[in-house]
Amino acid sequence: MADLRQVVFFDRPNLIFPAISTVLALFALSPTPSFIPLTLLVATLLVYTRISIRRPHAPRTILGTFFGISLASTLSHIIPSIHALSSTPLSIISLWIISSLSSVVAFGTILLSLRLNIPWTKITFFPAIWTTTWQAISHTSPVGHLVTWSPVTGIASYEWMRPLFGTWGINWLVGAYAVVIAELVGAWFIGPVEDFEPHGPLISNLVSNGDSQESQPDRPVSLPRAHHTFLLGTALLGLTLQSFLLPTVPTLPWSTSSTPFPVGCVLPHPSLPDDKSTPLDRFIAESKQHNGARLLLWPEGALRFETTTQREEAINKVQKEIHGPFVGVTFTEPVPPSAEWEHSREGKWRNGLVLVGPKGPVAEFYKRNLVPIAESFSLTESKEDPVLYDLELHGPNKNKKWTPAPPYDRTVPLTAAICLDFSSPTIFTSLHSRPALILAPAQTWQRDVSMAMWEQARARAEEAGSMVLFCDGGAEGASGVAGHGIREPVQFGSGSWTRTVGVAWPFNQHRTLYMWGGGALPFSVVWLLVGAGWVLPSWAALGGFGGVAVSFSRLREVLGRARAYIRRPAPPTQGEQQPLLL
């Protein structure tokens, strides 16, 4: 063991650690990052930067590791990204730039965390700055959480945290586990690092005990770092108990406490060369074969309208020929002047979805996040927040068991977003209540890209306490229902399908904690944990609760003496100080 430690940490660290980091990055930074490889990668970088930062040529060795990780990230995305843009070289260059920027952010965050030496603050500061940084990136990046160091798979034991803290909680777990692993590696292989030894008391005594003896200087209190690491590791493992004690399972469709809700995706097979039918005719014909569903969704951009008249004619045709289900019709069209999109330039198009019922259109949604270059030049993004629509389900023969009072209907609140919209962590935080189902049409060009968007849509559904109907019209696109314990797609590729899901009845429309608080609540929580790193040493220096009790006792004693001094009788005046006249 000593020989291995000598080779890894003293003789060849600049060869071994970059190699390990590069290999881990191939698995950790894929289109669907996994929790364990990503955590091991971050922990490896934490250990390596700690042992190399004070060595000669540290910038050169860290830069070499940076290039290795950027290259690995590029290679892990190159197959799904090579056809993302019209030019292959442009796709590869764009991918390299994005991967390099992500690596710069990761390395900068890690190097920033090396500045602190207070034990508890040191192990809580890195998770806090790690999750805060990636949340800030997801808000400013045009692709949101895509191509970031945020896991979307391998976190089944912590899925219950999504409705509470969203991606803040997941990213914090990555940073916390990485710190625990790095501290354990440091304890076993590098040896204990220097304990924090302050130059004096953190909080000086404000009240003297009144003794004539010379006061002794306070002895600085330094809790061993292993204690803090053990405490954090135990807390992380304890957070997994929720998934074992109260696992999330799908709601049964047919029960007294649920509403059966048949939904489906309309995914026609590719047309034959001699097929002269229009896309509208093919989608209508395919939808007619699934009239038993209550809601059908078409994939993103199923139709293309040149004028408003074409759109109205298509919607009327859908309404007349498809009887029974509501249909989510997707399309692209020029932005009409009646839309009053002041931010849209003339000639721009928009990507939308209209929900068509038996009585006509009932709700409209438009894409908010456009794919850079591929869509941003030709399309205009929507500035409007998603809205809710209450879809009414009529009970059989006005059955009073369906609902206790007329008109004996149940409602299923719906909302929608389109493809890349789901990469934004706050896409649904503006809703005033919880949706039961989220419509998610998509159109991707490769299976890995589709799975990346599937995982993003599933994450947003879990954060909202909802389910998502994901329909990808790509040749290898995933489609299915996700959320409430459902994680796997129904199928890949073309072929329409229906599935009956259960919606809890009565449906709880109260927003989840994350939807209610957005990013402000988890931001406060993670940084309050860091603040405890400054409070706890002072608390320990005062003797904990006992020290505080003594301090309050001394404070009461001082206040009592002050009151006695103020209320003392005035001394008698003498000589000319006495009044001459009474």
Side-chain angles (χ1 to χ4, degrees), residues 171-192:
N171 287 329
W172 186 88
L173 289 171
V174 172
Y177 267 111
V179 167
V180 170
I181 295 172
E183 292 294 332
L184 291 177
V185 171
W188 283 97
F189 293 96
I190 304 177

Side-chain angles (χ1 to χ4, degrees), residues 315-499:
I315 292 176
N316 290 334
K317 190 173 183 178
V318 170
Q319 177 186 350
K320 292 178 181 178
E321 298 192 17
I322 302 177
H323 304 287
F326 284 75
V327 182
V329 178
T330 58
F331 57 90
T332 56
E333 65 171 0
V335 179
S338 59
E340 298 182 353
W341 284 18
E342 297 180 356
H343 63 282
S344 176
R345 298 194 302 271
E346 185 178 357
K348 286 278 190 173
W349 289 52
R350 62 181 180 179
N351 190 330
L353 180 154
V354 56
L355 189 61
V356 182
K359 298 181 181 180
V362 295
E364 294 182 9
F365 307 88
Y366 294 95
K367 192 170 186 177
R368 300 182 63 188
N369 295 343
L370 303 178
V371 179
I373 303 176
E375 292 182 338
S376 57
F377 288 147
S378 59
L379 299 178
T380 296
E381 75 281 4
S382 173
K383 300 296 185 180
E384 299 176 359
D385 293 329
V387 297
L388 281 174
Y389 171 73
D390 290 331
L391 189 149
E392 293 185 354
L393 299 179
H394 303 289
N397 299 322
K398 304 299 182 183
N399 188 353
K400 292 185 178 181
K401 293 182 179 180
W402 179 260
T403 49
Y408 307 110
D409 295 334
R410 294 183 181 181
T411 58
V412 177
L414 305 175
T415 191
I418 301 175
C419 201
L420 193 60
D421 291 345
F422 287 94
S423 65
S424 172
T426 56
I427 184 67
F428 298 116
T429 54
S430 62
L431 295 176
H432 63 274
S433 62
R434 179 190 309 198
L437 184 67
I438 303 171
L439 307 184
Q443 184 74 34
T444 61
W445 60 91
Q446 205 266 348
R447 180 169 179 158
D448 290 339
V449 179
S450 182
M451 284 304 299
M453 292 313 309
W454 164 270
E455 292 296 344
Q456 292 295 327
R458 188 177 69 84
R460 302 295 87 78
E462 295 286 0
E463 291 162 5
S466 180
M467 294 183 293
V468 61
L469 175 59
F470 188 85
C471 298
D472 188 344
E476 299 178 307
S479 59
V481 179
H484 285 189
I486 306 174
R487 297 184 175 88
E488 299 300 325
V490 171
Q491 68 176 37
F492 292 91
S494 59
S496 302
W497 54 267
T498 59
R499 176 175 182 173

